[in-house]
Amino acid sequence: NKFLYTTWKKLRICHCSSPAASEEKETTTVHKRLTIVYEHNMSVLLIITGASRGLGAAMAVEFVKSLTAASGSSSSSSKPTTSYIRVILIARSMEGLTTTEESILNLEKQKSLPSLCSIDITKHDIDLANMSTLENEINTLFRMEEKFQHAKKKYDRVIFINNAGNLGHLGPSTTTDLQQLRQTLDFNVTSSLWLTTRFLQEMQTKQEQYQAEEESPTATTTWDNVVVVNISSLCAIEPFPTMAAYCAGKAARNMFYQTLAKEYGATKDNHVKFLNYAPGPCDTEMTTELSTCDNLDAGLKSFFRTSSEKGTFVQPHDTSKELVRLVLQNDFESGIHIDYYDV
């Protein structure tokens, strides 16, 4: 039984996000506001990368649904826990981002949102794998978002979900080449780490600006309650043959977040927390690719193919609900790695 459990655990894996792309394209940003009744109670800033499909899209919907849940009653007329949400969706596909946005807006049509709620949504069409344009596009994103800065100058809760990534090279490690390896690590590691860094820099800048305006070195703005999530994988802590580049990227991201947790935990900004969340083998395009890849390790391929045939993959909305619960309860140790199967 112990052997079977160990084997089963080793075959749990990954998430699905936006794939890398080689072609360059002009960035497009679209802003839309859903206003039901604008009455501030608690305000939230939610940023998700790789939000055009799969797990990223599911997380966007589940976070909005939970954040706007009525407190103390199931009635739609109850005062919501959250009355303002600023949603920033980032991915390469504007078409996919529009689909995600429509899923969020459909919550209101389905009466899944309370009557007192205001939501701003912007979609940023950015190729996160393109290192030559990444810095400029991210700087542009933050400049554009200044136009929609919440009037209170502070959010009661800030959530950043670092989800974008791809599988990269699959097969024996000796069968890759330099360009392919670099593209994979640029997207899964360099881009991911830089996005997190720029987000933290932006939050720090807003904090300093707010303190200057209030003439108080202790005044807080967006730093009251910040959770930064890295969408991780079992691959980050266990080796999977024929998936070396993916494993290396996930391990690097995990360690980066663990280190950030140490850095912030040693300062007064210890209310900024970091989480490595492994969502389990989700039913997405990524697991479809793994179940059909001829170069994948035979044992892994058999697991994915069998899971696909039996329909035993984790559903994106189910694992997203668990992540939402973890983030909103916010009682985890900063920097920890948590797997869907462990919660």
Side-chain angles (χ1 to χ4, degrees):
N1 289 338
K2 183 177 181 181
F3 171 76
L4 291 175
Y5 173 78
T6 302
T7 303
W8 166 77
K9 186 175 181 181
K10 286 185 177 180
L11 291 177
R12 296 176 355 218
I13 188 175
C14 70
H15 74 290
C16 180
S17 306
S18 305
S22 57
E23 70 268 20
E24 295 184 14
K25 58 192 298 185
E26 182 179 355
T27 299
T28 305
T29 301
V30 177
H31 171 258
K32 180 174 289 186
R33 162 170 273 186
L34 165 63
T35 301
I36 306 168
V37 176
Y38 197 93
E39 179 181 312
H40 292 302
N41 181 20
M42 185 175 76
S43 58
V44 178
L45 172 63
L46 173 65
I47 305 173
I48 302 179
T49 69
S52 61
R53 59 179 182 172
L55 181 60
M59 289 189 296
V61 171
E62 294 301 333
F63 266 102
V64 170
K65 186 185 299 184
S66 293
L67 286 166
T68 56
S71 59
S73 170
S74 59
S75 171
S76 61
S77 62
S78 299
K79 191 173 183 179
T81 302
T82 306
S83 57
Y84 178 77
I85 306 178
R86 181 84 186 86
V87 184
I88 300 175
L89 304 175
I90 304 170
R92 183 169 57 91
S93 169
M94 180 56 72
E95 181 179 359
L97 289 174
T98 299
T99 299
T100 301
E101 177 190 60
E102 291 172 351
S103 296
I104 295 174
L105 300 180
N106 282 336
L107 292 174
E108 192 276 329
K109 297 178 182 178
Q110 299 166 2
K111 305 303 180 183
S112 297
L113 296 182
S115 58
L116 300 177
C117 180
S118 180
I119 303 177
D120 279 327
I121 303 173
T122 51
K123 310 187 299 290
H124 296 270
D125 180 15
I126 299 175
D127 183 358
L128 298 175
N130 191 333
M131 295 297 102
S132 64
T133 61
L134 180 63
E135 183 168 14
N136 181 61
E137 290 184 338
I138 295 303
N139 289 340
T140 299
L141 181 154
F142 283 121
R143 286 197 299 270
M144 295 183 68
E145 288 302 329
E146 285 291 336
K147 300 177 182 178
F148 307 111
Q149 178 65 43
H150 188 24
K152 290 172 62 176
K153 296 185 180 179
K154 67 174 290 184
Y155 292 95
D156 300 292
R157 188 187 296 269
V158 178
I159 303 167
F160 178 83
I161 311 295
N162 196 345
N163 170 63
N166 71 355
L167 286 170
H169 172 73
L170 297 175
S173 301
T174 55
T175 61
T176 190
D177 58 45
L178 179 59
Q179 182 178 4
Q180 188 176 40
L181 183 62
R182 180 176 179 178
Q183 288 176 343
T184 300
L185 295 181
D186 275 349
F187 187 22
N188 290 346
V189 181
T190 307
S191 174
S192 172
L193 272 54
W194 178 240
L195 281 168
T196 302
T197 300
R198 280 294 292 115
F199 166 75
L200 294 172
Q201 289 174 346
E202 191 70 15
M203 293 296 98
Q204 184 63 52
T205 297
K206 292 184 182 301
Q207 168 77 352
E208 293 171 353
Q209 291 173 346
Y210 186 67
Q211 289 175 344
E213 292 173 2
E214 296 295 314
E215 297 184 346
S216 170
T218 60
T220 58
T221 174
T222 53
W223 290 95
D224 284 352
N225 189 334
V226 181
V227 177
V228 188
V229 181
N230 166 45
I231 297 303
S232 185
S233 167
L234 189 62
C235 287
I237 58 176
E238 294 189 18
F240 283 70
T242 65
M243 298 182 64
Y246 183 79
C247 290
K250 287 298 183 183
R253 286 166 62 151
N254 257 39
M255 183 53 68
F256 186 69
Y257 273 58
Q258 290 176 38
T259 304
L260 287 173
K262 291 290 186 181
E263 291 179 359
Y264 279 80
T267 71
K268 62 182 179 65
D269 293 321
N270 56 10
H271 44 277
V272 181
K273 296 179 69 174
F274 301 87
L275 172 65
N276 290 301
Y277 178 71
C282 295
D283 186 11
T284 60
E285 292 182 21
M286 180 176 281
T287 48
T288 298
E289 180 180 352
L290 289 168
S291 65
T292 58
C293 178
D294 293 332
N295 297 325
L296 198 66
D297 172 77
L300 289 175
K301 184 175 181 180
S302 175
F303 166 77
F304 286 109
R305 179 174 293 175
T306 300
S307 298
S308 178
E309 293 172 351
K310 294 184 176 181
T312 56
F313 283 131
V314 178
Q315 295 304 306
H317 283 273
D318 290 338
T319 191
S320 295
K321 290 175 183 177
E322 289 300 326
L323 175 60
V324 169
R325 183 182 63 80
L326 286 168
V327 170
L328 298 189
Q329 287 182 352
N330 198 15
D331 57 2
F332 57 86
E333 178 186 353
S334 186
I336 195 172
H337 175 102
I338 299 179
D339 191 288
Y340 168 75
Y341 288 99
D342 297 331
V343 296

